[in-house]
Amino acid sequence: MTNPSEGTFFLNGKDFANAGNASGSLKKVLEEMGVPPPLIRRASIAAFEAEMNTIIYAVAGIMHYYVTPGTIRVVLQDMGPGIADIDLAMTEGYSTAPDYIRDMGFGSGMGLPNIKKNADSLAINSVVGEGTTLEFVINLDKTA
Amino acid sequence: MTLDEIKDILDAETLSAHCDGNTPVERAYCADLMSDVLCFSFTNSLLITHLTNAQVIRTADVANIKAIVFCQGKKPPRETVVLAEGKKIPMLVTGYSMFDSCGKLYEKGLRGKSESDT
Amino acid sequence: MTLQELAKGLDVEVLTGDAKLEREIAGGYVSDLLSDVIGNAKEGFVWITFQVHMNIVAAASLKGLAGIILVNGRRPPQDTLQKASEENVIIMTTPLPAFEVVGRLYELGLRCR
């Protein structure tokens, strides 16, 4: 793999026209760096779910990624409503999304569980009324 | 099964300017919830969906979906077509319902799950 | 075909409303979009979906659907199950993906028309 890489994407709440752009760009970066395809798939799926959460729930947010020879680390920081009960939010099928979001194909209550499933580690810090920081890591040193 | 065969079975119309009809798909997946696609679909699957928004293309991109069939005659808006062409994801549109589209493809041998899947 | 006969071939587990399994199925519908189901599914159809939100019960009830089959081993939250029991709506779950479920039902002669 080539040299370490990092970058930042800005996310606007409810900007559905561009939702998913950041994860798509991250996918391209990882492809160009020569990361193995199964790991690219896991990283981009986790990033996509996290990005959609920010677009759906927050006013705005940033996605920052760091790729080193050992890991892909992605941090999403948002200005959003916060998550009152993280354990509950991690439950498959639990969602607070409104119906119009469900009719767009989201809000199925699978986002956070899907990030957890694809990442090697996941940390969520949230303050109700302020925002949420979500960080996940995918290890590169061993194969998927 | 190739895209040309799928097109015939579903009386479908090609929406992409550059669509290689010989492109093979290994499996099929039908869904409207993008997390479902991201969580359970397999690489190189055909995605059959009712949704035509840009997120479908972005989901297909990160999940390595090979091609998309929009069912029930749902034609995607221009921005979806442009995005898909940029990502080289072929698209078809069929007048059949999702149920009959899946049924017809299954009848001709396409599967959602193979023996090797866990 | 009745729901009972359908359940046999698909490895399904009945979660609610097992009293109504003798009901004849008129056709099949597969969709995860509530507005689509409300607009297009027909009475007596069996509905295949990944959607577990409580409103699936209202949609099935409103359209007089024969039952709901959840795919990929999905289990609905408690409020959905509660509402389904109250409204006597059958919910079943199968480990199979939707494409497989639909394919097998189609082979058994079920159609969406």
Side-chain angles (χ1 to χ4, degrees):
Chain A
M1 202 196 322
T2 49
N3 292 324
S5 170
E6 66 176 288
T8 304
F9 302 106
F10 294 90
L11 310 174
N12 291 316
K14 307 288 183 289
D15 180 11
F16 293 104
N18 293 303
N21 264 351
S23 323
S25 305
L26 174 62
K27 186 189 181 203
K28 253 192 198 134
V29 169
L30 298 176
E31 282 168 351
E32 281 161 11
M33 292 181 75
V35 173
L39 296 177
I40 294 179
R41 189 171 197 255
R42 283 172 51 202
S44 12
I45 286 174
F48 186 88
E49 292 282 16
E51 180 180 357
M52 286 311 304
N53 278 347
T54 302
I55 306 283
I56 292 168
Y57 296 105
V59 176
I62 52 169
M63 181 196 285
H64 203 89
Y65 67 87
Y66 313 78
V67 188
T68 62
T71 59
I72 303 169
R73 189 157 67 91
V74 180
V75 182
L76 283 104
Q77 239 176 328
D78 75 34
M79 289 184 280
I83 304 168
D85 184 338
I86 292 173
D87 286 340
L88 186 60
M90 291 298 300
T91 312
E92 281 188 15
Y94 177 82
S95 174
T96 57
D99 284 344
Y100 83 93
I101 296 289
R102 258 184 293 283
D103 271 351
M104 286 176 65
F106 294 91
S108 63
M110 290 295 291
L112 290 177
N114 210 4
I115 297 171
K116 191 175 177 189
K117 182 185 151 190
N118 282 287
D120 288 308
S121 73
L122 167 67
I124 302 172
N125 281 300
S126 191
V127 179
V128 172
E130 287 186 18
T132 302
T133 301
L134 180 151
E135 175 174 344
F136 68 85
V137 174
I138 287 171
N139 297 328
L140 293 174
D141 40 10
K142 49 177 189 273
T143 45
Chain B
M1 193 178 279
T2 66
L3 285 184
D4 270 347
E5 290 174 294
I6 291 166
K7 195 179 161 208
D8 281 349
I9 294 166
L10 298 180
D11 299 324
E13 179 191 332
T14 308
L15 293 171
S16 319
H18 312 283
C19 171
D20 179 3
N22 294 319
T23 306
V25 297
E26 293 166 14
R27 273 183 282 234
Y29 202 82
C30 71
D32 300 314
L33 292 173
M34 295 303 115
S35 288
D36 178 10
V37 178
L38 294 169
C39 198
F40 294 106
S41 72
F42 292 91
T43 292
N44 293 331
S45 293
L46 174 76
L47 173 66
I48 303 150
T49 185
H50 290 105
L51 286 177
T52 57
N53 61 40
Q55 279 73 43
V56 174
I57 306 301
R58 296 200 173 95
T59 300
D61 180 34
V62 301
N64 297 336
I65 291 291
K66 197 78 168 193
I68 302 173
V69 171
F70 299 110
C71 57
Q72 216 150 288
K74 300 213 189 284
K75 287 201 177 171
R78 208 183 115 72
E79 61 264 29
T80 300
V81 177
V82 170
L83 191 63
E85 301 219 319
K87 295 188 185 293
K88 299 193 173 61
I89 300 172
M91 297 171 296
L92 300 172
V93 60
T94 175
Y96 290 117
S97 64
M98 189 192 269
F99 191 93
D100 288 352
S101 301
C102 296
K104 283 171 186 293
L105 293 172
Y106 188 91
E107 197 177 38
K108 299 286 184 188
L110 198 61
R111 290 293 178 266
K113 208 170 157 28
S114 77
E115 295 301 321
S116 58
D117 297 341
T118 49
Chain C
M1 194 190 338
T2 65
L3 280 174
Q4 188 93 57
E5 286 162 346
L6 171 158
K8 262 186 256 166
L10 287 177
D11 190 16
V12 304
E13 180 188 340
V14 181
L15 301 176
T16 63
D18 50 2
K20 286 168 64 188
L21 289 176
E22 293 310 316
R23 184 165 173 186
E24 198 66 28
I25 307 169
Y29 205 79
V30 55
S31 177
D32 300 316
L33 307 174
L34 289 171
S35 52
D36 172 52
V37 172
I38 290 168
N40 299 313
K42 294 179 188 158
E43 190 173 354
F45 276 21
V46 63
W47 175 20
I48 295 107
T49 188
F50 186 70
Q51 185 73 265
V52 292
H53 188 272
M54 193 170 79
N55 292 348
I56 61 172
V57 177
S61 188
L62 178 73
K63 297 296 284 193
L65 302 183
I68 302 170
I69 303 177
L70 300 176
V71 298
N72 289 326
R74 207 147 199 239
R75 289 181 175 272
Q78 200 51 48
D79 54 357
T80 302
L81 288 174
Q82 177 75 34
K83 189 134 193 281
S85 298
E86 282 166 18
E87 305 215 1
N88 213 4
V89 167
I90 296 176
I91 299 183
M92 301 179 268
T93 185
T94 168
L96 295 171
F99 185 85
E100 278 294 314
V101 173
V102 173
R104 293 178 194 192
L105 294 179
Y106 192 89
E107 276 197 329
L108 292 172
L110 225 53
R111 297 289 181 272
C112 172
R113 53 193 78 143

